[in-house]
Amino acid sequence: MLVKTYCAAVNGMEVTPVTVEVSIRKGVHFHLVGLPDTAVKESYERIRAALNNVNIKLPQNDITVNLSPADIQKSGSGYDLPITIAMLAANDNVATDKLQHYMIMAELGLDGRLCPIRGALPIAMKAKELGFHGIILPKENVKEAAVVQGIDVYGMGNILEVMRFLNGELGFEPTTIDVKTEFFDHQQHFEFDFADVKGQQSVKRALEVAAAGGHNIILVGPPGSGKSMMAKCLPSILPPLSIEESLETTQIYSVAGKLGKDVSLISKRPFRSPHHTISSVAIVGGGTTPQPGEISLAHNGVLYADELPEFRRDVLEVLRQPLEDRRITVSRVKYSIDYPSSFMFVASMNPCPCGYHNDPTHHCTCSPGQIQRYMHKISGPLMDRIDLQIELQALGIDDLINAPKGEPSAMIRERVVRARKIQEERFRGLKGIHCNAQMKPAQIRKFAQLDEHSTGMLKMAMERLKLSARAYDRIIKVARTIADLDGKQNIEVTHIAEAVGYRNLDRSDWVE
């Protein structure tokens, strides 16, 4: 007897429907074909033990299982349940009339329970796209999959429940979620707020500009100056995620298996802060079984690199292309996968090895040569991709005690949102461009034209600071953002002056 069940293979962000074909005939052998990896090959042992422990006899026949299409690699343990159901249906333990209407995915525990899988959300989206009535998943995955409207999502606890459901027993209801309530109720709560940051008004202004235009920024200052805390406050002033952005981000976390328990949608922009010992593969993604890297987990959010010069040179250099293209293509011998990676890059570092260069309250023990070598750990092309370079000083004890409470993030966020709305209107109809930082040269010429006075000031700054052509474009982008924050249609001299002031590390006297 031949029976088919339906599931899916997740490779990167791409979901491919998979048909599990089971044929039973006289004999005693078990054959599993269709490019299964080790985890899939081991499914037979899990299935046999699980069925034995729930008092169901495995068919004592020659069983052939084909995972079609057979030329696509199948990885992971999520094929346990569809294979089991197909085998039981071929042995007349499960009715076959519902099998064609449902996509089934779950790992089997040895006691028959259903264990969670990765990629439940994109699988549910593919099931809806293909016209399936519903999808059967472990209970732990049901909330993320139920985000998809227009398809029945059933969360099951064990193999017996799945069998009863497919055999037509009553008492099973699909899981439903109020997406808007689930999404908007969690958007306003942040652990870090700029109201808790004392002083540092110029740095807060720079971070506001960066948030308003989606610009990359680096903070350079001595230990204790508040670099890390202000970076962690940044998500609290970024515009709220849209539903579309949330779905895209949640898919990445679903594929990576990093969605928290009972989380249906990621409602706040991600903030990723990898340790400086991270490898280049972990930062961009890939591996034997391809997984999203940190730059993709930071998609639509912030990637924060604390103590930037401590990162390995090869790790920093792989960031250069994603910072420009906002996508990463991971190519290996057996696969080539695209991951989205549109993120704000925020970095912080000490100004020198001892940490106290240009600090009026401490004596720096580093020579100019040591400082130059320290700074040269970061390549010029990578630094050119950072729009704002901000130097800050640690506050004295009197400033810490007497400083008034800072402006709350909610008020800063209102200004950022107003500026972003101006940009959304400006770039309406342009695919892949939503904020000033994403402008290409053609958009810069169209939307960020300079008058004679502004051009003259920028030319003078370029000559004095010996800036690259990439830095030239980035100054104009930042000036365009400052003008948006001021509500001005045209870029003015003051906007150019402020934007140039955010290129602190380009000053020729910085290491003197």
Side-chain angles (χ1 to χ4, degrees), residues 1-6 19-24 47 59 63-66 79-94 96 99 104 159 166:
M1 183 176 181
L2 175 65
V3 172
K4 297 180 181 180
T5 56
Y6 302 91
T19 302
V20 178
E21 301 174 315
V22 171
S23 176
I24 292 183
I47 292 169
I63 303 173
T64 301
V65 179
N66 178 43
Y79 299 95
D80 291 0
L81 185 59
I83 292 174
T84 304
I85 294 299
M87 289 168 58
L88 293 174
N91 198 46
D92 295 327
N93 294 101
V94 172
T96 59
L99 296 183
I104 304 170
I159 182 66
L166 293 174

PDB file of all heavy atoms in Angstrom, residues 1-6 19-24 47 59 63-66 79-94 96 99 104 159 166:
ATOM      1  N   MET A   1       0.846  -1.193   0.000  1.00  0.00           N
ATOM      2  CA  MET A   1       0.000   0.000   0.000  1.00  0.00           C
ATOM      3  C   MET A   1       0.883   1.245   0.000  1.00  0.00           C
ATOM      4  O   MET A   1       1.893   1.301   0.688  1.00  0.00           O
ATOM      5  CB  MET A   1      -0.920   0.017   1.226  1.00  0.00           C
ATOM      6  CG  MET A   1      -1.878   1.191   1.261  1.00  0.00           C
ATOM      7  SD  MET A   1      -3.000   1.082   2.669  1.00  0.00           S
ATOM      8  CE  MET A   1      -3.979   2.570   2.401  1.00  0.00           C
ATOM      9  N   LEU A   2       0.500   2.242  -0.765  1.00  0.00           N
ATOM     10  CA  LEU A   2       1.246   3.485  -0.868  1.00  0.00           C
ATOM     11  C   LEU A   2       0.445   4.619  -0.234  1.00  0.00           C
ATOM     12  O   LEU A   2      -0.733   4.817  -0.543  1.00  0.00           O
ATOM     13  CB  LEU A   2       1.535   3.827  -2.337  1.00  0.00           C
ATOM     14  CG  LEU A   2       2.214   5.178  -2.593  1.00  0.00           C
ATOM     15  CD1 LEU A   2       3.613   5.195  -2.004  1.00  0.00           C
ATOM     16  CD2 LEU A   2       2.259   5.479  -4.097  1.00  0.00           C
ATOM     17  N   VAL A   3       1.095   5.377   0.680  1.00  0.00           N
ATOM     18  CA  VAL A   3       0.455   6.515   1.354  1.00  0.00           C
ATOM     19  C   VAL A   3       1.389   7.714   1.288  1.00  0.00           C
ATOM     20  O   VAL A   3       2.611   7.567   1.375  1.00  0.00           O
ATOM     21  CB  VAL A   3       0.125   6.174   2.825  1.00  0.00           C
ATOM     22  CG1 VAL A   3      -0.364   7.409   3.561  1.00  0.00           C
ATOM     23  CG2 VAL A   3      -0.932   5.076   2.886  1.00  0.00           C
ATOM     24  N   LYS A   4       0.786   8.912   1.160  1.00  0.00           N
ATOM     25  CA  LYS A   4       1.579  10.139   1.111  1.00  0.00           C
ATOM     26  C   LYS A   4       1.167  11.089   2.235  1.00  0.00           C
ATOM     27  O   LYS A   4      -0.019  11.240   2.517  1.00  0.00           O
ATOM     28  CB  LYS A   4       1.384  10.852  -0.236  1.00  0.00           C
ATOM     29  CG  LYS A   4       1.857  10.065  -1.437  1.00  0.00           C
ATOM     30  CD  LYS A   4       1.615  10.850  -2.726  1.00  0.00           C
ATOM     31  CE  LYS A   4       2.060  10.050  -3.954  1.00  0.00           C
ATOM     32  NZ  LYS A   4       1.840  10.806  -5.207  1.00  0.00           N
ATOM     33  N   THR A   5       2.165  11.698   2.869  1.00  0.00           N
ATOM     34  CA  THR A   5       1.927  12.810   3.775  1.00  0.00           C
ATOM     35  C   THR A   5       2.792  13.972   3.301  1.00  0.00           C
ATOM     36  O   THR A   5       3.665  13.810   2.437  1.00  0.00           O
ATOM     37  CB  THR A   5       2.284  12.458   5.230  1.00  0.00           C
ATOM     38  OG1 THR A   5       3.654  12.016   5.285  1.00  0.00           O
ATOM     39  CG2 THR A   5       1.374  11.371   5.772  1.00  0.00           C
ATOM     40  N   TYR A   6       2.545  15.153   3.874  1.00  0.00           N
ATOM     41  CA  TYR A   6       3.181  16.359   3.349  1.00  0.00           C
ATOM     42  C   TYR A   6       3.869  17.141   4.470  1.00  0.00           C
ATOM     43  O   TYR A   6       3.328  17.294   5.562  1.00  0.00           O
ATOM     44  CB  TYR A   6       2.149  17.229   2.632  1.00  0.00           C
ATOM     45  CG  TYR A   6       1.478  16.492   1.506  1.00  0.00           C
ATOM     46  CD1 TYR A   6       0.298  15.771   1.715  1.00  0.00           C
ATOM     47  CD2 TYR A   6       2.053  16.464   0.234  1.00  0.00           C
ATOM     48  CE1 TYR A   6      -0.301  15.064   0.687  1.00  0.00           C
ATOM     49  CE2 TYR A   6       1.458  15.759  -0.798  1.00  0.00           C
ATOM     50  CZ  TYR A   6       0.290  15.055  -0.571  1.00  0.00           C
ATOM     51  OH  TYR A   6      -0.288  14.350  -1.590  1.00  0.00           O
ATOM     52  N   THR A  19       7.077  15.777  -0.083  1.00  0.00           N
ATOM     53  CA  THR A  19       6.086  14.701   0.003  1.00  0.00           C
ATOM     54  C   THR A  19       6.753  13.449   0.561  1.00  0.00           C
ATOM     55  O   THR A  19       7.766  12.992   0.030  1.00  0.00           O
ATOM     56  CB  THR A  19       5.492  14.391  -1.382  1.00  0.00           C
ATOM     57  OG1 THR A  19       4.900  15.575  -1.926  1.00  0.00           O
ATOM     58  CG2 THR A  19       4.424  13.296  -1.277  1.00  0.00           C
ATOM     59  N   VAL A  20       6.198  12.929   1.646  1.00  0.00           N
ATOM     60  CA  VAL A  20       6.697  11.684   2.232  1.00  0.00           C
ATOM     61  C   VAL A  20       5.868  10.539   1.647  1.00  0.00           C
ATOM     62  O   VAL A  20       4.663  10.445   1.884  1.00  0.00           O
ATOM     63  CB  VAL A  20       6.571  11.696   3.763  1.00  0.00           C
ATOM     64  CG1 VAL A  20       7.046  10.363   4.341  1.00  0.00           C
ATOM     65  CG2 VAL A  20       7.385  12.837   4.352  1.00  0.00           C
ATOM     66  N   GLU A  21       6.514   9.673   0.881  1.00  0.00           N
ATOM     67  CA  GLU A  21       5.846   8.528   0.260  1.00  0.00           C
ATOM     68  C   GLU A  21       6.282   7.252   0.986  1.00  0.00           C
ATOM     69  O   GLU A  21       7.480   6.992   1.105  1.00  0.00           O
ATOM     70  CB  GLU A  21       6.209   8.441  -1.222  1.00  0.00           C
ATOM     71  CG  GLU A  21       5.836   9.682  -2.020  1.00  0.00           C
ATOM     72  CD  GLU A  21       6.334   9.624  -3.453  1.00  0.00           C
ATOM     73  OE1 GLU A  21       7.515   9.238  -3.647  1.00  0.00           O
ATOM     74  OE2 GLU A  21       5.561   9.953  -4.359  1.00  0.00           O
ATOM     75  N   VAL A  22       5.314   6.514   1.462  1.00  0.00           N
ATOM     76  CA  VAL A  22       5.607   5.263   2.166  1.00  0.00           C
ATOM     77  C   VAL A  22       4.923   4.107   1.438  1.00  0.00           C
ATOM     78  O   VAL A  22       3.708   4.133   1.198  1.00  0.00           O
ATOM     79  CB  VAL A  22       5.131   5.315   3.630  1.00  0.00           C
ATOM     80  CG1 VAL A  22       5.244   3.945   4.272  1.00  0.00           C
ATOM     81  CG2 VAL A  22       5.959   6.327   4.414  1.00  0.00           C
ATOM     82  N   SER A  23       5.728   3.118   1.098  1.00  0.00           N
ATOM     83  CA  SER A  23       5.216   1.915   0.448  1.00  0.00           C
ATOM     84  C   SER A  23       5.519   0.712   1.334  1.00  0.00           C
ATOM     85  O   SER A  23       6.656   0.541   1.789  1.00  0.00           O
ATOM     86  CB  SER A  23       5.866   1.736  -0.930  1.00  0.00           C
ATOM     87  OG  SER A  23       5.455   0.523  -1.522  1.00  0.00           O
ATOM     88  N   ILE A  24       4.496  -0.097   1.608  1.00  0.00           N
ATOM     89  CA  ILE A  24       4.652  -1.294   2.440  1.00  0.00           C
ATOM     90  C   ILE A  24       4.357  -2.530   1.599  1.00  0.00           C
ATOM     91  O   ILE A  24       3.349  -2.581   0.891  1.00  0.00           O
ATOM     92  CB  ILE A  24       3.713  -1.248   3.664  1.00  0.00           C
ATOM     93  CG1 ILE A  24       4.157  -0.137   4.624  1.00  0.00           C
ATOM     94  CG2 ILE A  24       3.695  -2.571   4.397  1.00  0.00           C
ATOM     95  CD1 ILE A  24       3.335  -0.059   5.888  1.00  0.00           C
ATOM     96  N   ILE A  47      11.154   6.536  15.889  1.00  0.00           N
ATOM     97  CA  ILE A  47       9.770   6.144  15.603  1.00  0.00           C
ATOM     98  C   ILE A  47       9.451   4.794  16.236  1.00  0.00           C
ATOM     99  O   ILE A  47       8.400   4.607  16.865  1.00  0.00           O
ATOM    100  CB  ILE A  47       9.539   6.105  14.068  1.00  0.00           C
ATOM    101  CG1 ILE A  47       9.608   7.522  13.487  1.00  0.00           C
ATOM    102  CG2 ILE A  47       8.202   5.454  13.741  1.00  0.00           C
ATOM    103  CD1 ILE A  47       9.649   7.547  11.973  1.00  0.00           C
ATOM    104  N   PRO A  59       4.497  -1.583  11.690  1.00  0.00           N
ATOM    105  CA  PRO A  59       4.274  -2.609  10.665  1.00  0.00           C
ATOM    106  C   PRO A  59       5.491  -3.516  10.473  1.00  0.00           C
ATOM    107  O   PRO A  59       6.607  -3.027  10.302  1.00  0.00           O
ATOM    108  CB  PRO A  59       3.994  -1.779   9.405  1.00  0.00           C
ATOM    109  CG  PRO A  59       3.511  -0.457   9.910  1.00  0.00           C
ATOM    110  CD  PRO A  59       4.211  -0.228  11.202  1.00  0.00           C
ATOM    111  N   ILE A  63       9.436  -1.798   4.384  1.00  0.00           N
ATOM    112  CA  ILE A  63       8.956  -0.416   4.326  1.00  0.00           C
ATOM    113  C   ILE A  63       9.949   0.438   3.549  1.00  0.00           C
ATOM    114  O   ILE A  63      11.143   0.464   3.870  1.00  0.00           O
ATOM    115  CB  ILE A  63       8.771   0.171   5.739  1.00  0.00           C
ATOM    116  CG1 ILE A  63       7.804  -0.688   6.560  1.00  0.00           C
ATOM    117  CG2 ILE A  63       8.269   1.613   5.670  1.00  0.00           C
ATOM    118  CD1 ILE A  63       7.712  -0.268   8.020  1.00  0.00           C
ATOM    119  N   THR A  64       9.456   1.138   2.541  1.00  0.00           N
ATOM    120  CA  THR A  64      10.279   2.081   1.778  1.00  0.00           C
ATOM    121  C   THR A  64       9.707   3.474   1.950  1.00  0.00           C
ATOM    122  O   THR A  64       8.529   3.711   1.689  1.00  0.00           O
ATOM    123  CB  THR A  64      10.308   1.722   0.285  1.00  0.00           C
ATOM    124  OG1 THR A  64      10.839   0.397   0.122  1.00  0.00           O
ATOM    125  CG2 THR A  64      11.184   2.703  -0.475  1.00  0.00           C
ATOM    126  N   VAL A  65      10.562   4.378   2.410  1.00  0.00           N
ATOM    127  CA  VAL A  65      10.159   5.774   2.608  1.00  0.00           C
ATOM    128  C   VAL A  65      10.962   6.642   1.648  1.00  0.00           C
ATOM    129  O   VAL A  65      12.190   6.611   1.635  1.00  0.00           O
ATOM    130  CB  VAL A  65      10.413   6.237   4.057  1.00  0.00           C
ATOM    131  CG1 VAL A  65      10.004   7.704   4.230  1.00  0.00           C
ATOM    132  CG2 VAL A  65       9.664   5.358   5.042  1.00  0.00           C
ATOM    133  N   ASN A  66      10.253   7.404   0.836  1.00  0.00           N
ATOM    134  CA  ASN A  66      10.905   8.330  -0.099  1.00  0.00           C
ATOM    135  C   ASN A  66      10.516   9.758   0.250  1.00  0.00           C
ATOM    136  O   ASN A  66       9.339  10.071   0.420  1.00  0.00           O
ATOM    137  CB  ASN A  66      10.484   8.025  -1.536  1.00  0.00           C
ATOM    138  CG  ASN A  66      11.119   9.001  -2.522  1.00  0.00           C
ATOM    139  OD1 ASN A  66      12.296   9.326  -2.413  1.00  0.00           O
ATOM    140  ND2 ASN A  66      10.327   9.482  -3.473  1.00  0.00           N
ATOM    141  N   TYR A  79      11.057  15.518  10.351  1.00  0.00           N
ATOM    142  CA  TYR A  79      10.385  14.567   9.454  1.00  0.00           C
ATOM    143  C   TYR A  79       9.861  13.342  10.207  1.00  0.00           C
ATOM    144  O   TYR A  79       9.194  12.492   9.609  1.00  0.00           O
ATOM    145  CB  TYR A  79      11.347  14.122   8.346  1.00  0.00           C
ATOM    146  CG  TYR A  79      11.824  15.255   7.481  1.00  0.00           C
ATOM    147  CD1 TYR A  79      13.027  15.896   7.745  1.00  0.00           C
ATOM    148  CD2 TYR A  79      11.068  15.713   6.404  1.00  0.00           C
ATOM    149  CE1 TYR A  79      13.478  16.951   6.974  1.00  0.00           C
ATOM    150  CE2 TYR A  79      11.508  16.766   5.620  1.00  0.00           C
ATOM    151  CZ  TYR A  79      12.705  17.385   5.912  1.00  0.00           C
ATOM    152  OH  TYR A  79      13.129  18.441   5.139  1.00  0.00           O
ATOM    153  N   ASP A  80      10.149  13.245  11.506  1.00  0.00           N
ATOM    154  CA  ASP A  80       9.704  12.075  12.276  1.00  0.00           C
ATOM    155  C   ASP A  80       8.200  11.864  12.177  1.00  0.00           C
ATOM    156  O   ASP A  80       7.725  10.751  11.896  1.00  0.00           O
ATOM    157  CB  ASP A  80      10.081  12.238  13.760  1.00  0.00           C
ATOM    158  CG  ASP A  80      11.570  12.154  14.002  1.00  0.00           C
ATOM    159  OD1 ASP A  80      12.321  11.967  13.025  1.00  0.00           O
ATOM    160  OD2 ASP A  80      11.985  12.280  15.169  1.00  0.00           O
ATOM    161  N   LEU A  81       7.440  12.914  12.444  1.00  0.00           N
ATOM    162  CA  LEU A  81       5.984  12.773  12.499  1.00  0.00           C
ATOM    163  C   LEU A  81       5.359  12.457  11.147  1.00  0.00           C
ATOM    164  O   LEU A  81       4.548  11.526  11.060  1.00  0.00           O
ATOM    165  CB  LEU A  81       5.351  14.031  13.099  1.00  0.00           C
ATOM    166  CG  LEU A  81       3.841  13.954  13.316  1.00  0.00           C
ATOM    167  CD1 LEU A  81       3.465  12.808  14.241  1.00  0.00           C
ATOM    168  CD2 LEU A  81       3.307  15.289  13.874  1.00  0.00           C
ATOM    169  N   PRO A  82       5.692  13.174  10.059  1.00  0.00           N
ATOM    170  CA  PRO A  82       5.086  12.801   8.775  1.00  0.00           C
ATOM    171  C   PRO A  82       5.427  11.382   8.331  1.00  0.00           C
ATOM    172  O   PRO A  82       4.599  10.691   7.737  1.00  0.00           O
ATOM    173  CB  PRO A  82       5.616  13.857   7.800  1.00  0.00           C
ATOM    174  CG  PRO A  82       6.783  14.473   8.473  1.00  0.00           C
ATOM    175  CD  PRO A  82       6.508  14.394   9.928  1.00  0.00           C
ATOM    176  N   ILE A  83       6.665  10.933   8.632  1.00  0.00           N
ATOM    177  CA  ILE A  83       7.032   9.560   8.288  1.00  0.00           C
ATOM    178  C   ILE A  83       6.199   8.576   9.116  1.00  0.00           C
ATOM    179  O   ILE A  83       5.672   7.577   8.605  1.00  0.00           O
ATOM    180  CB  ILE A  83       8.537   9.327   8.511  1.00  0.00           C
ATOM    181  CG1 ILE A  83       9.360  10.140   7.501  1.00  0.00           C
ATOM    182  CG2 ILE A  83       8.878   7.841   8.390  1.00  0.00           C
ATOM    183  CD1 ILE A  83      10.855  10.091   7.741  1.00  0.00           C
ATOM    184  N   THR A  84       6.054   8.860  10.401  1.00  0.00           N
ATOM    185  CA  THR A  84       5.286   7.976  11.291  1.00  0.00           C
ATOM    186  C   THR A  84       3.835   7.868  10.848  1.00  0.00           C
ATOM    187  O   THR A  84       3.269   6.764  10.771  1.00  0.00           O
ATOM    188  CB  THR A  84       5.336   8.510  12.738  1.00  0.00           C
ATOM    189  OG1 THR A  84       6.700   8.642  13.133  1.00  0.00           O
ATOM    190  CG2 THR A  84       4.621   7.570  13.683  1.00  0.00           C
ATOM    191  N   ILE A  85       3.220   9.026  10.569  1.00  0.00           N
ATOM    192  CA  ILE A  85       1.806   9.025  10.166  1.00  0.00           C
ATOM    193  C   ILE A  85       1.626   8.280   8.851  1.00  0.00           C
ATOM    194  O   ILE A  85       0.663   7.507   8.683  1.00  0.00           O
ATOM    195  CB  ILE A  85       1.283  10.467  10.051  1.00  0.00           C
ATOM    196  CG1 ILE A  85       1.264  11.133  11.428  1.00  0.00           C
ATOM    197  CG2 ILE A  85      -0.105  10.492   9.430  1.00  0.00           C
ATOM    198  CD1 ILE A  85       0.376  10.446  12.445  1.00  0.00           C
ATOM    199  N   ALA A  86       2.547   8.458   7.919  1.00  0.00           N
ATOM    200  CA  ALA A  86       2.434   7.745   6.640  1.00  0.00           C
ATOM    201  C   ALA A  86       2.559   6.241   6.843  1.00  0.00           C
ATOM    202  O   ALA A  86       1.818   5.453   6.228  1.00  0.00           O
ATOM    203  CB  ALA A  86       3.502   8.247   5.673  1.00  0.00           C
ATOM    204  N   MET A  87       3.473   5.803   7.716  1.00  0.00           N
ATOM    205  CA  MET A  87       3.630   4.370   7.983  1.00  0.00           C
ATOM    206  C   MET A  87       2.381   3.799   8.652  1.00  0.00           C
ATOM    207  O   MET A  87       1.909   2.712   8.301  1.00  0.00           O
ATOM    208  CB  MET A  87       4.868   4.161   8.863  1.00  0.00           C
ATOM    209  CG  MET A  87       6.180   4.417   8.132  1.00  0.00           C
ATOM    210  SD  MET A  87       7.623   4.519   9.241  1.00  0.00           S
ATOM    211  CE  MET A  87       7.548   2.938  10.046  1.00  0.00           C
ATOM    212  N   LEU A  88       1.820   4.535   9.620  1.00  0.00           N
ATOM    213  CA  LEU A  88       0.618   4.050  10.300  1.00  0.00           C
ATOM    214  C   LEU A  88      -0.581   4.027   9.365  1.00  0.00           C
ATOM    215  O   LEU A  88      -1.419   3.124   9.435  1.00  0.00           O
ATOM    216  CB  LEU A  88       0.324   4.941  11.516  1.00  0.00           C
ATOM    217  CG  LEU A  88       1.335   4.871  12.660  1.00  0.00           C
ATOM    218  CD1 LEU A  88       0.997   5.900  13.732  1.00  0.00           C
ATOM    219  CD2 LEU A  88       1.377   3.464  13.262  1.00  0.00           C
ATOM    220  N   ALA A  89      -0.665   5.040   8.475  1.00  0.00           N
ATOM    221  CA  ALA A  89      -1.766   5.062   7.511  1.00  0.00           C
ATOM    222  C   ALA A  89      -1.649   3.911   6.517  1.00  0.00           C
ATOM    223  O   ALA A  89      -2.648   3.283   6.136  1.00  0.00           O
ATOM    224  CB  ALA A  89      -1.794   6.397   6.778  1.00  0.00           C
ATOM    225  N   ALA A  90      -0.425   3.580   6.125  1.00  0.00           N
ATOM    226  CA  ALA A  90      -0.213   2.462   5.209  1.00  0.00           C
ATOM    227  C   ALA A  90      -0.564   1.138   5.870  1.00  0.00           C
ATOM    228  O   ALA A  90      -0.875   0.155   5.180  1.00  0.00           O
ATOM    229  CB  ALA A  90       1.237   2.453   4.727  1.00  0.00           C
ATOM    230  N   ASN A  91      -0.538   1.125   7.210  1.00  0.00           N
ATOM    231  CA  ASN A  91      -0.877  -0.078   7.960  1.00  0.00           C
ATOM    232  C   ASN A  91      -2.321  -0.044   8.484  1.00  0.00           C
ATOM    233  O   ASN A  91      -2.697  -0.847   9.338  1.00  0.00           O
ATOM    234  CB  ASN A  91       0.090  -0.235   9.141  1.00  0.00           C
ATOM    235  CG  ASN A  91       0.106  -1.643   9.702  1.00  0.00           C
ATOM    236  OD1 ASN A  91       0.175  -2.620   8.946  1.00  0.00           O
ATOM    237  ND2 ASN A  91       0.023  -1.766  11.025  1.00  0.00           N
ATOM    238  N   ASP A  92      -3.114   0.927   7.985  1.00  0.00           N
ATOM    239  CA  ASP A  92      -4.534   1.085   8.351  1.00  0.00           C
ATOM    240  C   ASP A  92      -4.746   1.466   9.814  1.00  0.00           C
ATOM    241  O   ASP A  92      -5.842   1.256  10.359  1.00  0.00           O
ATOM    242  CB  ASP A  92      -5.317  -0.204   8.038  1.00  0.00           C
ATOM    243  CG  ASP A  92      -5.355  -0.495   6.547  1.00  0.00           C
ATOM    244  OD1 ASP A  92      -5.372   0.475   5.763  1.00  0.00           O
ATOM    245  OD2 ASP A  92      -5.334  -1.682   6.171  1.00  0.00           O
ATOM    246  N   ASN A  93      -3.762   2.079  10.471  1.00  0.00           N
ATOM    247  CA  ASN A  93      -3.963   2.592  11.825  1.00  0.00           C
ATOM    248  C   ASN A  93      -4.501   4.021  11.824  1.00  0.00           C
ATOM    249  O   ASN A  93      -5.033   4.484  12.830  1.00  0.00           O
ATOM    250  CB  ASN A  93      -2.647   2.570  12.612  1.00  0.00           C
ATOM    251  CG  ASN A  93      -2.154   1.160  12.865  1.00  0.00           C
ATOM    252  OD1 ASN A  93      -1.262   0.681  12.167  1.00  0.00           O
ATOM    253  ND2 ASN A  93      -2.732   0.486  13.853  1.00  0.00           N
ATOM    254  N   VAL A  94      -4.313   4.719  10.709  1.00  0.00           N
ATOM    255  CA  VAL A  94      -4.754   6.105  10.580  1.00  0.00           C
ATOM    256  C   VAL A  94      -5.519   6.252   9.275  1.00  0.00           C
ATOM    257  O   VAL A  94      -5.093   5.731   8.232  1.00  0.00           O
ATOM    258  CB  VAL A  94      -3.543   7.077  10.596  1.00  0.00           C
ATOM    259  CG1 VAL A  94      -3.983   8.501  10.268  1.00  0.00           C
ATOM    260  CG2 VAL A  94      -2.838   7.046  11.942  1.00  0.00           C
ATOM    261  N   THR A  96      -6.849   7.941   5.890  1.00  0.00           N
ATOM    262  CA  THR A  96      -6.070   8.678   4.892  1.00  0.00           C
ATOM    263  C   THR A  96      -6.812   9.855   4.278  1.00  0.00           C
ATOM    264  O   THR A  96      -6.214  10.630   3.521  1.00  0.00           O
ATOM    265  CB  THR A  96      -5.663   7.724   3.751  1.00  0.00           C
ATOM    266  OG1 THR A  96      -6.852   7.178   3.153  1.00  0.00           O
ATOM    267  CG2 THR A  96      -4.790   6.592   4.270  1.00  0.00           C
ATOM    268  N   LEU A  99      -5.172  13.387   5.065  1.00  0.00           N
ATOM    269  CA  LEU A  99      -3.734  13.572   4.921  1.00  0.00           C
ATOM    270  C   LEU A  99      -3.367  14.580   3.835  1.00  0.00           C
ATOM    271  O   LEU A  99      -2.396  15.328   3.985  1.00  0.00           O
ATOM    272  CB  LEU A  99      -3.056  12.233   4.626  1.00  0.00           C
ATOM    273  CG  LEU A  99      -3.156  11.163   5.731  1.00  0.00           C
ATOM    274  CD1 LEU A  99      -2.386   9.918   5.327  1.00  0.00           C
ATOM    275  CD2 LEU A  99      -2.623  11.718   7.054  1.00  0.00           C
ATOM    276  N   ILE A 104       2.385  18.361   7.945  1.00  0.00           N
ATOM    277  CA  ILE A 104       2.686  17.799   9.262  1.00  0.00           C
ATOM    278  C   ILE A 104       4.189  17.888   9.509  1.00  0.00           C
ATOM    279  O   ILE A 104       4.989  17.464   8.669  1.00  0.00           O
ATOM    280  CB  ILE A 104       2.234  16.321   9.340  1.00  0.00           C
ATOM    281  CG1 ILE A 104       0.745  16.191   9.002  1.00  0.00           C
ATOM    282  CG2 ILE A 104       2.523  15.735  10.710  1.00  0.00           C
ATOM    283  CD1 ILE A 104       0.278  14.755   8.832  1.00  0.00           C
ATOM    284  N   ILE A 159       1.848  11.709  19.779  1.00  0.00           N
ATOM    285  CA  ILE A 159       1.446  11.000  18.564  1.00  0.00           C
ATOM    286  C   ILE A 159       0.015  10.493  18.656  1.00  0.00           C
ATOM    287  O   ILE A 159      -0.705  10.460  17.648  1.00  0.00           O
ATOM    288  CB  ILE A 159       2.434   9.840  18.276  1.00  0.00           C
ATOM    289  CG1 ILE A 159       2.080   9.110  16.978  1.00  0.00           C
ATOM    290  CG2 ILE A 159       2.487   8.863  19.430  1.00  0.00           C
ATOM    291  CD1 ILE A 159       2.229   9.941  15.746  1.00  0.00           C
ATOM    292  N   LEU A 166      -6.648  12.809  13.152  1.00  0.00           N
ATOM    293  CA  LEU A 166      -6.737  12.359  11.763  1.00  0.00           C
ATOM    294  C   LEU A 166      -7.810  11.288  11.582  1.00  0.00           C
ATOM    295  O   LEU A 166      -8.346  11.122  10.481  1.00  0.00           O
ATOM    296  CB  LEU A 166      -5.379  11.830  11.293  1.00  0.00           C
ATOM    297  CG  LEU A 166      -4.268  12.888  11.175  1.00  0.00           C
ATOM    298  CD1 LEU A 166      -2.933  12.235  10.850  1.00  0.00           C
ATOM    299  CD2 LEU A 166      -4.617  13.927  10.103  1.00  0.00           C
TER     300      LEU A 166
END
